[in-house]
Amino acid sequence: MKASRCSIRKWLIRMLLALILFPVLLVLALRFVDPAVWMWQIQRELNPPTGYPANTHHTWVPLEQISPAMQLAVIAAEDQKFPYHWGLDLDSIADALSDNQEGGNIRGASTLTQQTAKNLFLWSAKSYLRKGLEAGFAVMMELLWNKQRILEVYLNIVEFGPGIYGVEAASQTYFHKSAKRLSTTEAARLAAVLPNPYRLSVARPSNYVWQRVRWIENQMRLLGPDHWNP
């Protein structure tokens, strides 16, 4: 009986260690290996939203083949503290928690690192469990990757339109050019739809999208090229 309990205890310890080590090893591997698929894409394929196409588009490109304007545009639009934080924006999280408690909704406050973690590893439904896992993966990514790799993965897996994954596919689809040749305005147009690429369109920008484009361009000017210099 005692030996049986000891065996169960050893088995539980091994399982716990495996649960801890697996995500660490997975994150470490993806520091060097470009993912062939990711969770956001898998969810779209299994449960496609209205307007999701039968054929999707994606081409992986390294960060050096992505326009500096595009890199700065997503930082200006989504996470201006990206070059300096360690995966989490504690001030934004505190504000979000306060709003959630007052209104009962689970609001974001996600950094680019957290968004990359969610798109790569997790599911899309809003919950405190997912946000907690997202934060854990974000911190691991900041520890095991560098900022350049985080932004490279983000720009290669984020959805810019229904079934259009990554900046290279988006650039070719909407502007008929490589991501390396994107202008400031084109980069801002792509970044402007990221909150909801099904409601907001790069190809047919609404007045709201154009307002966001102008705001992003202004933020890029205020930040300056030295704000992000990979």
Side-chain angles (χ1 to χ4, degrees):
M1 190 69 164
K2 188 175 181 180
S4 177
R5 289 178 179 175
C6 185
S7 297
I8 292 173
R9 189 180 298 111
K10 288 181 179 180
W11 181 83
L12 290 173
I13 291 172
R14 288 171 182 169
M15 286 294 295
L16 180 60
L17 288 173
L19 288 173
I20 294 171
L21 287 175
F22 177 74
V24 174
L25 294 175
L26 179 61
V27 171
L28 181 60
L30 291 174
R31 167 67 177 86
F32 307 100
V33 180
D34 300 334
V37 294
W38 49 94
M39 283 302 299
W40 186 268
Q41 182 186 37
I42 292 171
Q43 290 175 83
R44 287 288 197 242
E45 295 289 341
L46 294 177
N47 187 25
T50 302
Y52 194 77
N55 297 314
T56 61
H57 303 279
H58 176 256
T59 302
W60 191 283
V61 288
L63 192 64
E64 57 268 22
Q65 291 184 23
I66 299 173
S67 163
M70 187 68 234
Q71 298 177 42
L72 184 59
V74 294
I75 291 172
E78 297 290 307
D79 181 10
Q80 295 187 10
K81 297 178 183 178
F82 175 70
Y84 312 114
H85 64 59
W86 44 274
L88 307 176
D89 183 345
L90 297 181
D91 291 335
S92 296
I93 290 172
D95 291 341
L97 288 173
S98 177
D99 291 347
N100 295 341
Q101 289 173 354
E102 292 175 4
N105 296 319
I106 300 175
R107 187 166 69 81
S110 293
T111 63
L112 279 175
T113 312
Q114 287 174 269
Q115 292 181 50
T116 307
K118 179 193 70 176
N119 290 345
L120 195 54
F121 300 114
L122 301 171
W123 61 96
S124 58
K126 294 181 179 180
S127 69
Y128 286 114
L129 173 61
R130 197 217 72 197
K131 293 299 291 185
L133 292 172
E134 179 184 293
F137 273 109
V139 172
M140 278 193 287
M141 288 162 61
E142 291 279 349
L143 290 171
L144 298 174
W145 298 6
N146 56 30
K147 291 289 187 177
Q148 289 80 6
R149 179 58 174 173
I150 293 169
L151 190 62
E152 179 181 78
V153 173
Y154 175 83
L155 284 169
N156 273 287
I157 68 175
V158 70
E159 194 175 15
F160 286 96
I164 299 172
Y165 294 102
V167 66
E168 180 66 18
S171 183
Q172 294 288 354
T173 298
Y174 298 121
F175 304 117
H176 310 292
K177 61 172 65 174
S178 68
K180 191 173 184 177
R181 297 175 53 232
L182 286 168
S183 69
T184 297
T185 298
E186 290 164 344
R189 277 177 65 180
L190 290 175
V193 307
L194 288 177
N196 190 335
Y198 283 75
R199 184 173 63 87
L200 307 176
S201 172
V202 178
R204 296 176 298 279
S206 63
N207 289 334
Y208 173 75
V209 170
W210 279 121
Q211 289 174 6
R212 276 187 55 79
V213 169
R214 301 305 173 221
W215 180 84
I216 292 168
E217 288 180 315
N218 186 53
Q219 294 301 303
M220 292 169 71
R221 283 191 292 269
L222 291 174
L223 292 172
D226 291 338
H227 185 76
W228 172 251
N229 188 8

